[in-house]
Amino acid sequence: MLDPRHPRYHSLLLREKIVEGYKRGIVVLEGLIAHGRGECFDYLIGECTTDFALEAIRAAAAAFLTASYPVISVNGNTAALVSKEIVELAKETDSLVEVNLFHRTLERSRLIADVLKKEGLEKVLGLEDAVAVIPEIHSERRRVSPEGILKADLVFVPLEDGDRTEALRRLGKKVITIDLNPLSRTARAADITIVDNIVRAMPRLIEEIKKIKSLGEGYKEYAREILSKYNNQEILSRALRHISRRLENIASGIDEKIGCV
Ligand code: ATP
Ligand code: MG
């Protein structure tokens, strides 16, 4: 049992979820390493949702609400950490959900689909239906559903690998990601990069979607306006400056959170 008074309680709780996911056959060993890389950047960021992350979250909400065929791509770590929120996001935005794994086996895809179904999702793509192939990707991640990612105009790929993000962009898809590392190829190739922990970003994303929808009739117009002002390059620069400023502060003995919203 974890002690909630432990200074790194929240971080340890996530580790436990990932390890549990591994034991259930949802997460692979490589996923544990990817999580550790994310943790390191979260430490540097200050383990909070920042102003630049929130701006990207708003743009992502706007992109979902103006897309004509949005698809959410789910891997093992995402399923282990935020399956409930993935299902809520899909329902709120009428998106399809597709399981897509770097280390793909039908068995693991089925386990992940079951987790999502348990959270109330009726239809999960990416199982036996993953018969189409995205060119230029060499891993098993190239297999996609003709009814899902292949057809999508918008693909949401949290915790994604760089090769695949770049390939999806080349296919002309709009790509949204969540990635704590602002230096990763995924972060740099995506149209919208949310530099935040997926467990903090997902509830915020759902909240922003609901806010925009609550505007009623003219909400799509408003969403388009948000998108027209958004600049991902600038968001990534702000993320790097934020980390650099925090390190400067800490080196001078000021260890306080900055830019949290
Ligand atoms: P790339 O292939 O894009 O250059 P990479 O090879 O460093 O990146 P991958 O293992 O392909 O990384 O993908 C995992 C990414 O997800 C990492 O960049 C990591 O920082 C990020 N990540 C891991 N856990 C989380 C999390 N909980 N929230 C947000 N991002 C995370
Ligand atoms: Mg990679």
Side-chain angles (χ1 to χ4, degrees), residues 34-35 37-38 81 159-162 178-181 184-186 196-198:
H35 184 77
R37 182 173 288 162
L81 294 174
L159 322 187
E160 185 57 82
D161 173 63
I178 300 178
D179 193 331
L180 277 160
N181 177 6
S184 78
R185 285 173 310 145
T186 297
D196 196 5
N197 198 312
I198 193 167

Side-chain angles (χ1 to χ4, degrees), residues 42 45-48 242 246 249 254-260:
D42 210 6
I45 286 166
E47 296 175 311
C48 67
H242 170 87
R246 243 181 77 74
N249 283 353
I254 316 162
D255 189 355
E256 60 186 28
K257 303 216 183 241
I258 48 171
C260 303

Side-chain angles (χ1 to χ4, degrees), residues 98-100 104 126 129-134 140-151 164 168 171:
E98 177 164 344
V99 178
N100 189 274
R104 182 177 194 271
D129 58 308
V131 292
V133 163
I134 299 179
E140 278 302 296
R141 269 203 141 166
R142 69 182 188 272
R143 289 187 197 288
V144 292
S145 166
E147 201 197 328
I149 289 168
L150 195 71
K151 210 168 143 187
R164 186 148 171 276
L168 290 171
L171 285 178

Side-chain angles (χ1 to χ4, degrees), residues 211-230:
K211 262 195 220 163
I212 299 177
K213 280 167 78 177
S214 75
L215 295 175
E217 225 174 272
Y219 83 82
K220 282 202 181 179
E221 199 54 48
Y222 178 69
R224 275 188 212 103
E225 204 178 300
I226 294 177
L227 281 176
S228 72
K229 289 182 190 146
Y230 183 78

Side-chain angles (χ1 to χ4, degrees), residues 149-192:
I149 289 168
L150 195 71
K151 210 168 143 187
D153 62 335
L154 172 77
V155 197
F156 179 48
V157 284
L159 322 187
E160 185 57 82
D161 173 63
D163 285 345
R164 186 148 171 276
T165 308
E166 286 164 5
L168 290 171
R169 284 297 309 275
R170 278 195 296 275
L171 285 178
K173 319 251 179 230
K174 197 176 184 88
V175 177
I176 303 174
T177 194
I178 300 178
D179 193 331
L180 277 160
N181 177 6
L183 298 168
S184 78
R185 285 173 310 145
T186 297
R188 302 193 102 54
D191 292 278
I192 300 173

Side-chain angles (χ1 to χ4, degrees), residues 8 10-16 18 32-47 180-181 197:
R8 306 217 41 77
H10 289 289
S11 166
L12 292 175
L13 208 64
L14 295 191
R15 278 193 185 181
E16 213 167 66
I18 291 282
L32 271 63
I33 298 170
H35 184 77
R37 182 173 288 162
E39 278 184 340
C40 172
F41 280 96
D42 210 6
Y43 221 111
L44 295 175
I45 286 166
E47 296 175 311
L180 277 160
N181 177 6
N197 198 312

